[in-house]
Amino acid sequence: MHKPIRKAAVIGSGIMGSGIAAQFANAGIPCLLLDRVPAQLTAAEAAKGYTLEHPAVRNRLAVSAIENLKKTKPVPLYDHDFAERITPGNLEDHLSQIGEADWVIEVVVENLEIKKELLAKVEPYWKPGMIVSTNTSGISVNAMAEVRSQEFRSHFLGTHFFNPPRYMKLLEIIPGEMTNPELVTELSSFCERTLGKTVVLAKDTPNFIANRIGTYGLLVTLGEMIDKGYTVEEVDAVTGPAMGRPKSATFRTLDLVGLDTFLHVADNVYSNVSNEAEKQVFAAPEVLKQMVAQGRTGEKSGQGFYRKAKGPDGSQILALDLQSMEYRPQKKPASGSLEAAKLAKGAKAKTVALLAGGDRYADLAWNVLKQVLVYAAEKLGEIAESVREIDEAMKWGFNWEMGPFETWDAIGLVRSVSKMEAEGLTVPSWVKEWIAAGNTSFYRKEDGKLFHVFEGRYKDVELPPEVISLKGLKMQNRVVKGNSGASLIDLGDGVACLEFHSPNNAIGGDILSMISQSVEEVRRNFTGLVIANQGKNFCVGANLMLLLMEAQDEEWDEVDDIIRLFQNTMYQLKRFEKPVIAAPHRMTLGGGVEACMPADQVIAATETYYGLVEVGVGLIPAGGGCKELALRASQQAGLPETDLQPYMNRIFETVGTAKVSTSGHDAKNLGYLRPSDRVVLNPDHTIYEAKQAVLRLAASGYEPIPESKLRVVGSEGKAVLRLGALGMRESGFISDHDLLIANKLAHVLAGGDVPAGSLVTERHMLDLEREAFLSLCGESKTRQRMQYMLTKGKPLRN
């Protein structure tokens, strides 16, 4: 076993290098960040009388990069304070300090000779067990280290982080010819567990896996566009969500990447492959060279295939007309195939519907797709060992919903190969041999397990123990009970998981009913309960449509019943005599937060955007959210003589402005998560960690949370809260209706009209929540906000 990674060093403080350093900091690993020594003073440095020898000047590049981490958007750090875990330095004064690191990553310019020179400087400080890697998007790992010592090369490899490192899960690990295989295994495990990555092993070939296939796909799409006369908007309409791809599709993606950067990546393949047909695909298209020469490099220059312009009705996005090379208003394409894809559910159904459309957009989709699928099959064995590694690379590196081989299965492997060959396309022999052997897909499900083709046979897809697939457990018939909104699934070892699966995982009567049923089932037959799911988002809140319909019909008893059911169900969950752990991820809003609050512990994914946002639709939290936050404030304040008002002011601001955390760590800063709650970097591991937490609590002799009274600020504190809201209204920051909502919220959080310092019950607080919620439902402006959110997907300020 190699020594554990407790300290890292990153050489190169550009966007990529500082982003990688930030991810180490996010994982709690101290990191040294080095860059070159500047050759000139800035005007500010000269004004201070500094010389080139001053430490502030010599470390400027790394120091500036660390400061920029706090300003960059999207934010690289989970918490701005994590920047303190990064130590700046320079390559002349501090290079020796890399000897203290367990992993050194160079992230300098994509130039083979410069990287080789740097590695020559790094090797004298190398110590046995130290990992050294290069972050490169496609330069040969073996060529970089060809003159380094055998020991050094045994600990050297490529680690291609995708940008931005915090948000992009893919990490391609590229072993060199002499890299120790044990090191590769251990580093892969570390990167998945500690850095939260999805790791794929790539071979040392130009652009590795994702960039090789992704670049090919973009180029053949551009070729089809030019040959057949499609517009920019038409191509993006076809190659986006209609094909299970991101909204950025083809040309928005190119604008984001930068056309100059893209040409550099394409040229790396062109210059390093020998097959003439392949070289021609990667030859730089004239239109791209022309655009780069004109400075139209994409978003960073303000114009590429799209350009933002100001018009009479505000800013608008213009599209490039390749015939005139002028920008014009976008023309939204419409066709039967696009409409069919839009109506279909899921990437597989969308792709099938698009291809079956029988119009020119269906033709575009097929002509692009067939080339990409065949190319991926041709490269199997050359760029990666398995179809699964190629699929995973494309899903996590380019955000495709299905990888090439999953897509091939979705559209029908046998039928599509026949069509390809009928059209004159040469399908790789191994694919035809696979079909001739009687196989009809690259993946197969059997006995609750997933298999994929590997070296001419089906191989079991082995998941690490930290990855629990609820879908896989369902395939194994592990569902204990369920309804339209939720299911109770046996995780094994006496732990059950309550999974939401209603539309958008919104909480309605079906989910609340299943929570109650799950409590009874777990009471009889299980050790404890995990609340988690693997949907796109954990839960976007309560069923707003149902509430609006009842409010519009003035069915106030029905609204009251809905809220009472929600409150009572959450109260039942909190008082449950067996441990309950919640594992939220991504969007966890409103009722989703309130479903987590009764849990003994919350184990959140780092990318959890967590908040009580009810004021955005003219309401206040009424499923126990206000009560729980007020209870926590009372507990944090502690002694009766401690002033409770500052704690309550903070809660009032957080809920009253509908603040949503930017990460799981930020949810702790906002007070939504407790100090005892945990944040896990790899979202695929949260259910496993939640299960382990249940087992630990059960083994320690778990006792349910007793009902407790809470100290409140009362009528005096309410006046303070309302005064703050009034000040915001007078300053024009909020509307009259916002003020009404704020006053209702202040009444609830303060505990109502009781003397300051009074002790009240949790039930008392729930009654206040419900009364305020009901009264706000009766307001026409609240109903307008609810309607607007349902139709527009964003809050209305009225």
Side-chain angles (χ1 to χ4, degrees):
M1 293 291 291
H2 293 81
K3 61 181 181 179
I5 297 171
R6 295 196 175 96
K7 187 173 182 180
V10 174
I11 301 175
S13 66
I15 292 174
M16 200 69 215
S18 60
I20 293 171
Q23 192 62 11
F24 278 118
N26 286 335
I29 297 171
C31 184
L32 176 68
L33 181 62
L34 304 180
D35 211 319
R36 65 187 187 280
V37 175
Q40 293 182 318
L41 296 175
T42 65
E45 289 167 343
K48 292 178 181 178
Y50 290 170
T51 69
L52 289 174
E53 298 306 310
H54 194 286
V57 176
R58 296 177 71 80
N59 296 338
R60 182 215 308 152
L61 295 178
V63 170
S64 297
I66 295 169
E67 285 303 310
N68 286 335
L69 290 174
K70 303 173 185 178
K71 308 169 189 175
T72 302
K73 291 185 178 180
V75 184
L77 294 164
Y78 296 138
D79 187 312
H80 285 174
D81 291 344
F82 291 175
E84 297 174 5
R85 298 170 179 170
I86 307 174
T87 303
N90 68 75
L91 283 168
E92 294 181 16
D93 302 328
H94 307 110
L95 186 59
S96 63
Q97 293 181 18
I98 68 173
E100 302 169 12
D102 304 305
W103 182 5
V104 177
I105 306 181
E106 72 79 8
V107 197
V108 298
V109 65
E110 286 284 82
N111 179 288
L112 177 60
E113 293 307 313
I114 291 174
K115 287 179 180 287
K116 289 172 72 173
E117 289 175 13
L118 179 59
L119 292 178
K121 295 177 181 178
V122 168
E123 184 166 8
Y125 303 104
W126 182 84
K127 295 179 180 178
M130 177 194 293
I131 300 169
V132 180
S133 72
T134 173
N135 188 76
T136 172
S137 60
I139 298 177
S140 172
V141 172
N142 289 307
M144 279 184 223
E146 60 186 358
V147 297
R148 305 272 57 83
S149 69
Q150 184 171 332
E151 265 198 320
F152 183 92
R153 292 183 72 181
S154 71
H155 285 71
F156 178 73
L157 69 169
T159 47
H160 180 206
F161 287 81
F162 276 63
N163 191 36
R166 167 181 166 177
Y167 299 94
M168 295 298 289
K169 276 194 69 179
L170 180 64
L171 171 61
E172 292 178 327
I173 288 185
I174 309 98
E177 293 172 349
M178 300 180 68
T179 308
N180 185 329
E182 288 184 15
L183 180 145
V184 175
T185 300
E186 291 168 12
L187 185 63
S188 298
S189 178
F190 170 83
C191 291
E192 289 183 344
R193 293 179 179 178
T194 307
L195 297 184
K197 296 300 175 184
T198 291
V199 173
V200 298
L201 296 184
K203 296 197 174 186
D204 190 18
T205 55
N207 290 11
F208 312 129
I209 303 174
N211 278 348
R212 181 74 168 267
I213 293 176
T215 302
Y216 179 90
L218 289 168
L219 287 169
V220 297
T221 302
L222 183 60
E224 282 294 314
M225 172 189 182
I226 294 171
D227 288 347
K228 307 290 172 41
Y230 292 99
T231 67
V232 167
E233 306 98 302
E234 286 177 324
V235 170
D236 275 359
V238 171
T239 60
M243 286 178 67
R245 308 283 173 80
K247 290 181 179 179
S248 56
T250 296
F251 295 113
R252 290 187 192 281
T253 295
L254 282 171
D255 280 356
L256 287 168
V257 169
L259 274 62
D260 51 344
T261 301
F262 177 77
L263 284 180
H264 173 77
V265 173
D267 183 64
N268 190 51
V269 180
Y270 179 84
S271 302
N272 289 285
V273 296
S274 56
N275 182 287
E276 282 303 317
E278 187 174 11
K279 285 178 77 76
Q280 288 311 305
V281 174
F282 285 92
E286 286 301 319
V287 66
L288 292 188
K289 291 194 290 186
Q290 179 184 346
M291 290 175 69
V292 170
Q294 294 170 348
R296 305 191 204 193
T297 55
E299 194 169 272
K300 58 187 173 186
S301 68
Q303 57 180 352
F305 285 98
Y306 293 95
R307 188 182 77 187
K308 183 181 287 187
K310 290 185 178 179
D313 299 322
S315 63
Q316 60 177 326
I317 304 295
L318 305 178
L320 182 66
D321 185 323
L322 289 192
Q323 300 300 316
S324 65
M325 295 302 288
E326 299 291 334
Y327 292 97
R328 53 160 177 74
Q330 292 187 64
K331 301 173 184 176
K332 187 176 180 180
S335 78
S337 63
L338 291 175
E339 186 62 25
K342 183 178 180 180
L343 295 174
K345 302 295 183 182
K348 176 180 178 178
K350 286 180 180 296
T351 305
V352 170
L354 177 65
L355 293 175
D359 55 30
R360 61 193 299 267
Y361 298 126
D363 291 342
L364 172 61
W366 170 247
N367 289 332
V368 168
L369 192 58
K370 68 180 181 182
Q371 295 181 73
V372 173
L373 298 184
V374 167
Y375 186 72
E378 289 174 346
K379 295 299 121 183
L380 181 66
E382 178 184 335
I383 64 175
E385 287 293 345
S386 75
V387 299
R388 183 166 171 78
E389 281 170 324
I390 292 176
D391 280 349
E392 291 295 293
M394 298 315 300
K395 287 192 290 185
W396 297 112
F398 276 73
N399 294 319
W400 292 7
E401 290 190 51
M402 298 185 296
F405 297 97
E406 291 173 323
T407 301
W408 217 332
D409 282 355
I411 65 174
L413 174 60
V414 177
R415 183 181 60 80
S416 62
V417 166
S418 296
K419 184 177 180 182
M420 290 172 184
E421 292 191 301
E423 294 173 354
L425 202 60
T426 301
V427 176
S429 58
W430 76 264
V431 176
K432 292 191 287 186
E433 290 167 4
W434 180 250
I435 293 172
N439 300 296
T440 59
S441 64
F442 294 114
Y443 290 88
R444 186 181 75 190
K445 295 175 183 177
E446 186 176 303
D447 297 328
K449 292 185 178 182
L450 181 65
F451 298 81
H452 68 99
V453 59
F454 183 76
E455 296 181 347
R457 60 182 177 84
Y458 277 119
K459 180 185 177 183
D460 187 0
V461 174
E462 297 179 6
L463 297 177
E466 295 87 357
V467 177
I468 295 176
S469 168
L470 297 182
K471 185 177 181 180
L473 292 175
K474 288 179 176 180
M475 288 165 55
Q476 296 172 31
N477 298 315
R478 300 276 284 275
V479 176
V480 180
K481 57 175 54 186
N483 61 22
S484 59
S487 295
L488 186 68
I489 302 168
D490 185 354
L491 296 180
D493 300 317
V495 182
C497 177
L498 177 66
E499 175 204 35
F500 300 168
H501 47 65
S502 62
N504 295 316
N505 286 346
I507 297 176
D510 47 6
I511 287 180
L512 295 175
S513 172
M514 188 49 57
I515 291 175
S516 295
Q517 292 180 53
S518 297
V519 166
E520 292 303 317
E521 182 68 30
V522 172
R523 177 177 287 125
R524 291 192 302 267
N525 298 312
F526 290 89
T527 300
L529 178 66
V530 169
I531 301 176
N533 65 71
Q534 292 171 328
K536 181 179 179 181
N537 297 304
F538 176 79
C539 177
V540 297
N543 188 331
L544 192 61
M545 176 63 78
L546 176 62
L547 283 169
L548 177 60
M549 289 170 59
E550 299 292 0
Q552 287 176 332
D553 292 340
E554 298 186 356
E555 296 287 352
W556 306 123
D557 287 343
E558 292 294 328
V559 176
D560 185 68
D561 287 344
I562 292 170
I563 302 308
R564 282 182 187 273
L565 177 61
F566 198 158
Q567 290 182 339
N568 291 337
T569 305
M570 295 304 108
Y571 194 82
Q572 177 189 25
L573 204 56
K574 184 174 182 179
R575 301 275 98 82
F576 189 38
E577 64 270 20
K578 294 191 176 183
V580 176
I581 307 294
H585 65 278
R586 294 193 64 81
M587 301 302 292
T588 305
L589 305 175
V593 172
E594 291 175 310
C596 294
M597 283 180 156
D600 297 289
Q601 187 180 31
V602 174
I603 295 182
T606 44
E607 300 302 338
T608 300
Y609 314 122
Y610 204 78
L612 294 171
V613 296
E614 285 83 351
V615 297
V617 290
L619 299 167
I620 68 159
C626 294
K627 179 261 294 182
E628 283 296 316
L629 290 179
L631 177 60
R632 292 178 190 180
S634 176
Q635 292 169 341
Q636 289 168 358
L639 298 174
E641 57 268 25
T642 303
D643 187 4
L644 182 59
Q645 192 68 48
Y647 296 88
M648 197 52 60
N649 293 347
R650 184 184 178 200
I651 291 171
F652 181 64
E653 179 187 357
T654 299
V655 180
T657 55
K659 287 185 179 179
V660 176
S661 72
T662 56
S663 68
H665 292 91
D666 189 43
K668 283 194 172 188
N669 295 336
L670 292 175
Y672 287 133
L673 294 182
R674 301 157 292 194
S676 59
D677 294 329
R678 288 181 53 210
V679 180
V680 176
L681 264 76
N682 194 322
D684 296 335
H685 295 181
T686 54
I687 295 178
Y688 170 84
E689 294 293 344
K691 176 183 173 181
Q692 299 309 306
V694 166
L695 294 173
R696 283 193 297 271
L697 285 175
S700 66
Y702 176 79
E703 294 185 3
I705 300 171
E707 182 165 0
S708 56
K709 289 188 175 183
L710 57 150
R711 182 161 61 98
V712 295
V713 295
S715 54
E716 294 177 18
K718 176 170 67 174
V720 173
L721 300 178
R722 287 184 167 180
L723 185 62
L726 182 60
M728 292 186 71
R729 176 66 192 102
E730 291 178 345
S731 301
F733 290 111
I734 62 175
S735 67
D736 287 337
H737 192 54
D738 290 325
L739 181 61
L740 173 66
I741 299 164
N743 286 336
K744 298 280 187 183
L745 179 63
H747 179 73
V748 175
L749 290 175
D753 293 318
V754 297
S758 295
L759 293 176
V760 301
T761 65
E762 292 183 50
R763 287 291 187 185
H764 170 80
M765 296 296 291
L766 291 174
D767 289 342
L768 293 176
E769 282 185 359
R770 193 173 63 258
E771 290 163 7
F773 189 95
L774 279 166
S775 66
L776 287 169
C777 282
E779 297 287 336
S780 61
K781 288 189 175 181
T782 284
R783 295 196 293 274
Q784 290 169 11
R785 290 190 178 192
M786 295 166 76
Q787 182 71 54
Y788 195 84
M789 177 61 73
L790 286 167
T791 55
K792 303 289 186 179
K794 56 185 179 180
L796 170 68
R797 298 301 303 273
N798 58 354

